[in-house]
Amino acid sequence: MKNILLTLFIAISINSFGQEWTDLKVDSVLTLKLPDNYHIYDTLGIKVFTGILENAVVSVSIGENVKTVKDEKLLLVWYNSFKESSVKANHGQLIKDQIIEAGGLKMIRFSFHMEKDGEKKVKHSIVAVVNNKFYTISFTEAESPSGEMEKTREKFFSSMKFPPGLGLNNQLSAKDRDEMAYNQGELLGKITVGLLIGLAVWFSTRRKKKDRPTSAVR
């Protein structure tokens, strides 16, 4: 498994610069823009689309079988547990979080600081539960006081499109399994955000080593 992921990482990094953006139809629910160097892979039943920018990693992940929310209150519980476990799994510090609405759907958007191998990162995510699936749209960047990636980040998030007619009913489960809502949100948060943060740190470290000047041979 490690060898497969390493091969994938190297393949992506070769084409990580000078890319264009392309419209991607993730499925019948979500369409958005990704760098045209994006790759797709599956792990633990979660499908992940990942694209590499010069100073950031963008990703979209989809998980199946979210069947534990029967009302709006439990949907917010699920989102809160996802957020908390994501931050905790990466030893991060929450910057901000808010419930947002787009395309008739309620979602959570949150950001947090983290540090890996001496490099400071900021992870921004939007998470939505729709039709018994969960979608995690993330943008991980090197921490920068100048906010140099803000315009690119907002371009990425604002490119999200959902079909008309969706609403809260599409986010609720028909089955009464509310006691599992918090635990499932926590588990999925650990799996997806932990994995995607790992990808971001790997690529950033690789780029840093690549850009380091080589000493002249004497």
Side-chain angles (χ1 to χ4, degrees):
M1 182 65 177
K2 290 182 179 179
N3 289 336
I4 294 174
L5 289 177
L6 181 58
T7 301
L8 174 63
F9 296 162
I10 293 172
I12 297 175
S13 63
I14 290 173
N15 298 303
S16 61
F17 308 107
Q19 75 286 335
E20 300 292 332
W21 291 77
T22 185
D23 290 317
L24 169 68
K25 185 173 183 180
V26 177
D27 62 5
S28 61
V29 171
L30 176 63
T31 302
L32 82 172
K33 289 184 179 294
L34 277 183
D36 61 4
N37 63 15
Y38 75 85
H39 283 246
I40 310 170
Y41 60 96
D42 292 271
T43 179
L44 299 175
I46 298 171
K47 190 172 185 179
V48 183
F49 300 78
T50 302
I52 309 302
L53 301 173
E54 187 171 353
N55 294 307
V57 174
V58 297
S59 60
V60 182
S61 60
I62 311 171
E64 300 280 351
N65 300 323
V66 177
K67 301 178 180 178
T68 60
V69 286
K70 66 173 184 177
D71 56 35
E72 183 177 346
K73 181 180 178 180
L74 284 170
L75 177 64
L76 299 183
V77 168
W78 194 96
Y79 284 152
N80 187 58
S81 66
F82 192 106
K83 173 200 69 181
E84 289 182 353
S85 62
S86 299
V87 176
K88 183 177 180 181
N90 293 283
H91 307 288
Q93 181 179 2
L94 184 68
I95 300 171
K96 61 181 178 180
D97 68 306
Q98 62 181 133
I99 298 299
I100 62 173
E101 292 192 25
L105 303 171
K106 289 187 180 294
M107 315 174 191
I108 187 170
R109 178 169 179 169
F110 61 94
S111 305
F112 63 89
H113 295 288
M114 62 165 293
E115 185 172 337
K116 290 287 186 180
D117 301 323
E119 293 189 38
K120 294 182 178 180
K121 306 284 181 183
V122 179
K123 174 96 171 182
H124 308 271
S125 295
I126 293 178
V127 183
V129 172
V130 190
N131 294 339
N132 294 328
K133 295 181 182 179
F134 73 94
Y135 298 79
T136 305
I137 300 95
S138 297
F139 190 103
T140 304
E141 61 189 88
E143 190 172 294
S144 169
S146 65
E148 60 183 282
M149 298 301 293
E150 182 178 359
K151 185 176 180 180
T152 303
R153 180 175 70 245
E154 294 311 311
K155 171 186 174 182
F156 171 59
F157 284 135
S158 64
S159 72
M160 295 188 307
K161 294 179 182 177
F162 300 92
L166 294 179
L168 183 59
N169 286 339
N170 297 95
Q171 301 190 270
L172 304 181
S173 168
K175 295 186 177 181
D176 184 6
R177 297 173 60 194
D178 56 297
E179 73 279 0
M180 295 177 61
Y182 189 94
N183 291 335
Q184 189 174 41
E186 182 178 16
L187 174 62
L188 295 174
K190 287 179 179 178
I191 291 174
T192 58
V193 181
L195 172 64
L196 297 177
I197 284 289
L199 282 171
V201 172
W202 191 91
F203 278 112
S204 176
T205 302
R206 183 177 178 82
R207 173 163 172 72
K208 184 177 179 181
K209 290 180 179 178
K210 182 179 178 181
D211 290 346
R212 187 176 300 154
T214 333
S215 356
V217 179
R218 298 185 181 183

